[in-house]
Amino acid sequence: MKLSEQWLREWVNPDIDCQTLCHQLTMAGLEVESCQAVAGDFSGVVVGEIIAAEQHPNADKLRVCQVEVGEGVPLQIICGAPNARQGILVCVARIGALLPGNFKIKKAKLRGIESQGMLCSEAELGIADEADGIMELPQDAPIGQDIRQYLQLDDHTIEVDLTANRGDCFSLRGVAREVGVINRSPVRVPGIVEQIADHDQLMPVTIESPEACPKYACRIVKNIDMQAQTPLWMQEYLRRSGLRAISPVVDVTNYVMLSLGQPMHAFDLAKISKKIVVRYSEKNEKLTLLDGQDITCVPQTLLIADQNGPIALAGIMGGQSTAVTDQTQDILLESAFFAPLAIMGKPRQYGLHTDASVRFERGVDYQITERALDYATQLLVDITGGQIGPMSIEQDQNHLPQSHQICLRFGRLATYLGTDIAPSEVKDILQRLGLSIEQTEAGIIAKVPSYRFDLTQETDLIEEVARIYGYDNIASMVPTTAIQPEQYSETQLSVNRLRQLYQDCGYLEIMSYSFIDPKWHQILFEDQPTKKLLNPIAHDMSVMRTSLLPGLLKAAQHNLSHQQRQLRLFETGTCFIYQNEKIVECQHMALLLTGLRDSSVLHGGEDKVDFFDIKADLLALAGFCGLDFPTLFVNYYHTL
């Protein structure tokens, strides 16, 4: 996630520099990948107005501009940008200005006409990678003011690499909360006012899948002006967060998402048929997304639909059929809570990766849905005007996340961290993190806030205390333990010694996954029960192995398909035998042999290995272990 340091300091502003701030975030678990200036290193560039623009007499693509920069006498500047025209406000690099790359502006002549400066684009100021023309400024920009000051370019973009469990920090609100906790600084939340309706039109909403969408809120805003311009300050904050400005409606929803962490979407009201339905997809339903991609919905895809069919992939991307355009007059603003499990994995199935899905997959604060809708409405009406409708809310309390409590024992905290932290300080840290605290003699009972989906057990609270207390403040200690060597009798052998035996016999050891493809199990052990995983890594790793043979055979298959014919493989490992509704763990060893018998000998012949070759290796095992071979052989034979 990218964020502007200046924007962050509007929420929380501790008395530390940018480098210290980045270090604090990293040490708190929000690793800062980069911190870069939002603009290039330049000086001497001011706001100017083109008061006249004429065609260059000696060049078709150049224009001679008269530019007012607040000095009384206009500057004559020659410009080749296609959008250089009378009446616009621009960035003017006067003579003596220094642009990125140590490029100094000097008086020059272009095709015989004197030029007293340069009109700059975003790319030439290091604000953007590319630009189609010179940068145009709002009409209220003060002529003559330094551009760095006007655009507040003494700022940094901080890129934070968040772990999957910290969905609460995919917003300014979340990161500001962390900075405030670390520095004991107050966090200033933007003023969000409950919006008063100007009309009474509601959009009917039906939630058919409350387990996937337990809360859905929306509001109709009429007669908006789509020709209005997004304020420059909002455009800049979006740009510094890695998003480009598109239109007032889209920009406002993106701004609220970055501010509060609540993804939102806007539909063209005129393109919605009668009502909103939140449901799972039906067979072979099709949808054209905003990016133009045509998809066929896979089963169990959560959709936003109307009477005519799907209009959006819930929590991922809207549909093209209800997209807001320049001709839109009335919109429907959506703010919802989608269960993480309902969204998780779905974007990848469609080859998508959106800012909304990243947040919904990790968990969004279900208590901020209405506030985000009010905030977006407030910002949008300030920019585009319009009449606000009442908020329509549908929710199912039984399927919303339930607040829970976690008990933190002081003794367990000291054991895990190896240091004693005063109970008062532990309580203070957890309270500053937003947890409700009840202290007991043995520890603390903490009520988890709605935005912390990752806090589920005692060790999570211990980690929270450790990172806020400061890892640097926890003394380093060398762990000590009493090591008791394994005791073996003369008739016992360690697994390592058995491994060495078969390595001496020319075998190579492999290590395979404990989870296997159910097809392998069905082929090899059709009548043997096994345990299926509830949340497998992949479909071909969805059952627990009851034997080492599937791993050996898969390794052999891979090698044979790559023309490796001579194989002597063995593996030792745990197998999981499913007996009487319980899993019994057993240590197994298995061998695999294929190819020619004497391939290593120059004149070894073409004899292939057979059962008696592996029998010889079992004889070696029997002699090595001092076992009666017939008993060993019979057990082995019946096992196969």
Side-chain angles (χ1 to χ4, degrees):
M1 175 187 167
K2 291 183 178 180
L3 55 93
S4 158
E5 180 196 358
Q6 181 176 297
W7 191 9
L8 177 62
R9 289 186 182 275
E10 290 181 7
W11 288 70
V12 58
N13 191 18
D15 187 18
I16 54 175
D17 59 20
C18 185
Q19 184 177 358
T20 304
L21 175 64
C22 292
H23 177 72
Q24 286 184 348
L25 289 173
T26 298
M27 294 306 294
L30 312 181
E31 183 180 358
V32 175
E33 279 198 345
S34 64
C35 180
Q36 298 178 340
V38 301
D41 186 13
F42 66 86
S43 61
V45 182
V46 299
V47 177
E49 181 184 5
I50 300 179
I51 58 176
E54 299 177 352
Q55 184 67 43
H56 193 294
N58 302 319
D60 294 337
K61 295 184 178 180
L62 297 179
R63 296 179 69 80
V64 180
C65 302
Q66 301 300 321
V67 184
E68 175 62 54
V69 293
E71 296 178 348
V73 179
L75 301 178
Q76 179 173 282
I77 299 176
I78 297 176
C79 180
N83 62 328
R85 63 192 187 278
Q86 182 180 347
I88 64 172
L89 272 64
V90 293
C91 302
V92 183
R94 297 173 297 185
I95 294 174
L98 193 64
L99 298 186
N102 201 30
F103 179 68
K104 190 172 184 179
I105 301 298
K106 300 176 182 178
K107 186 182 294 186
K109 279 190 176 183
L110 296 177
R111 298 289 182 94
I113 304 293
E114 185 178 273
S115 181
Q116 298 172 315
M118 175 178 172
L119 305 185
C120 302
S121 68
E122 292 95 327
E124 289 161 338
L125 297 179
I127 295 176
D129 294 331
E130 56 185 27
D132 296 328
I134 56 176
M135 185 176 181
E136 297 186 35
L137 301 173
Q139 288 299 310
D140 60 355
I143 294 175
Q145 185 175 10
D146 188 278
I147 285 293
R148 294 198 75 91
Q149 181 182 352
Y150 174 66
L151 295 179
Q152 298 182 336
L153 294 179
D154 294 324
D155 187 14
H156 297 88
T157 291
I158 301 173
E159 184 170 4
V160 183
D161 185 16
L162 297 172
T163 52
N165 64 315
R166 293 309 305 271
D168 61 302
C169 288
F170 273 98
S171 65
L172 263 293
R173 173 177 174 246
V175 176
R177 188 188 300 116
E178 293 289 303
V179 174
V181 170
I182 297 168
N183 294 282
R184 300 178 184 271
S185 299
V187 178
R188 295 179 290 276
V189 180
I192 302 175
V193 180
E194 184 177 350
Q195 300 299 295
I196 300 173
D198 299 317
H199 63 83
D200 59 0
Q201 184 177 350
L202 282 167
M203 174 60 68
V205 176
T206 301
I207 299 177
E208 294 183 358
S209 305
E211 72 283 358
C213 176
K215 180 189 280 191
Y216 189 95
C218 60
R219 166 182 281 142
I220 294 171
V221 182
K222 292 184 173 183
N223 299 319
I224 63 171
D225 179 12
M226 285 299 294
Q227 305 309 312
Q229 292 294 315
T230 303
L232 185 62
W233 61 266
M234 184 179 289
Q235 293 186 41
E236 276 296 294
Y237 280 157
L238 291 175
R239 179 185 71 82
R240 298 173 196 187
S241 301
L243 300 177
R244 63 185 181 91
I246 298 173
S247 69
V249 174
V250 177
D251 295 345
V252 164
T253 56
N254 282 336
Y255 182 82
V256 172
M257 178 186 69
L258 293 172
S259 297
L260 305 180
Q262 171 67 57
M264 302 183 68
H265 186 65
F267 302 96
D268 188 327
L269 182 65
K271 300 173 183 177
I272 298 176
S273 177
K274 294 185 179 180
K275 67 176 184 178
I276 291 292
V277 181
V278 186
R279 59 172 174 82
Y280 280 119
S281 58
E282 298 172 359
K283 188 175 182 180
N284 295 328
E285 281 194 294
K286 298 184 182 298
L287 175 64
T288 301
L289 300 175
L290 283 172
D291 62 0
Q293 179 183 350
D294 294 317
I295 64 169
T296 300
C297 299
V298 300
Q300 292 299 105
T301 296
L302 191 64
L303 298 176
I304 309 299
D306 64 6
Q307 289 282 82
N308 298 326
I311 59 176
L313 285 179
I316 303 174
M317 185 180 289
Q320 201 172 75
S321 64
T322 55
V324 174
T325 66
D326 291 342
Q327 287 71 47
T328 298
Q329 292 183 336
D330 307 329
I331 65 168
L332 179 71
L333 271 177
E334 166 199 275
S335 179
F337 173 75
F338 300 114
L341 290 178
I343 307 300
M344 197 173 296
K346 285 296 183 288
R348 288 180 288 279
Q349 288 183 294
Y350 296 103
L352 299 171
H353 180 82
T354 64
D355 293 305
S357 66
V358 165
R359 287 162 173 81
F360 280 124
E361 283 183 308
R362 288 157 175 78
V364 171
D365 184 0
Y366 60 91
Q367 292 187 353
I368 205 171
T369 307
E370 298 93 322
R371 291 189 66 205
L373 187 55
D374 275 332
Y375 192 32
T377 305
Q378 176 182 324
L379 291 170
L380 184 63
V381 172
D382 286 345
I383 298 170
T384 66
Q387 287 80 52
I388 303 167
M391 189 183 299
S392 179
I393 305 175
E394 287 293 319
Q395 62 181 347
D396 187 327
Q397 292 290 348
N398 294 328
H399 289 95
L400 282 171
Q402 301 300 312
S403 60
H404 59 280
Q405 295 180 334
I406 304 174
C407 180
L408 173 62
R409 294 164 289 180
F410 295 132
R412 183 61 61 90
L413 178 69
T415 300
Y416 271 68
L417 301 186
T419 188
D420 290 320
I421 301 177
S424 59
E425 186 161 3
V426 174
K427 181 179 178 181
D428 178 60
I429 288 173
L430 295 180
Q431 284 179 326
R432 285 188 283 127
L433 284 168
L435 284 76
S436 299
I437 300 301
E438 179 185 341
Q439 188 167 344
T440 65
E441 185 175 342
I444 284 174
I445 299 174
K447 185 177 180 181
V448 179
S450 58
Y451 49 83
R452 290 304 298 269
F453 285 80
D454 58 314
L455 301 182
T456 59
Q457 55 190 352
E458 184 179 30
T459 50
D460 295 330
L461 294 187
I462 294 174
E463 180 182 348
E464 291 298 293
V465 172
R467 68 185 188 85
I468 300 302
Y469 180 73
Y471 299 116
D472 293 340
N473 296 324
I474 299 175
S476 300
M477 297 177 62
V478 178
T480 58
T481 184
I483 300 176
Q484 182 66 35
E486 282 192 72
Q487 299 293 324
Y488 291 103
S489 68
E490 293 182 356
T491 60
Q492 289 180 308
L493 291 172
S494 68
V495 174
N496 288 337
R497 190 64 189 91
L498 294 180
R499 289 193 183 108
Q500 187 62 52
L501 167 67
Y502 282 105
Q503 289 170 3
D504 293 343
C505 292
Y507 284 80
L508 294 176
E509 183 177 8
I510 71 164
M511 296 179 67
S512 61
Y513 286 105
S514 299
F515 310 131
I516 62 172
D517 192 326
K519 293 180 180 178
W520 283 97
H521 183 81
Q522 182 69 17
I523 293 171
L524 295 171
F525 315 105
E526 182 178 358
D527 299 327
Q528 187 175 0
T530 186
K531 187 68 173 176
K532 291 185 178 180
L533 301 176
L534 293 177
N535 188 23
I537 300 173
H539 175 71
D540 58 355
M541 300 176 68
S542 59
V543 299
M544 303 178 77
R545 68 184 179 189
T546 59
S547 168
L548 300 177
L549 292 181
L552 285 170
L553 291 173
K554 189 174 182 179
Q557 181 187 50
H558 177 81
N559 280 276
L560 291 172
S561 65
H562 288 77
Q563 309 302 317
Q564 298 297 322
R565 307 292 183 187
Q566 304 300 127
L567 298 176
R568 286 176 173 265
L569 307 176
F570 81 95
E571 182 176 9
T572 63
T574 303
C575 294
F576 306 89
I577 311 302
Y578 196 50
Q579 297 176 349
N580 300 324
E581 301 298 323
K582 292 184 178 181
I583 297 176
V584 180
E585 296 186 19
C586 304
Q587 294 297 317
H588 286 196
M589 173 179 273
L591 313 176
L592 183 142
L593 187 62
T594 186
L596 300 179
R597 177 174 293 120
D598 298 318
S599 60
S600 61
V601 182
L602 183 61
H603 302 291
E606 297 296 322
D607 293 340
K608 296 181 179 179
V609 294
D610 56 24
F611 174 78
F612 295 98
D613 292 280
I614 207 162
K615 177 183 176 181
D617 293 325
L618 289 174
L619 276 170
L621 174 62
F624 191 75
C625 298
L627 298 175
D628 177 27
F629 177 73
T631 301
L632 175 68
F633 173 71
V634 169
N635 287 339
Y636 172 82
Y637 180 79
H638 283 295
T639 300
L640 287 180

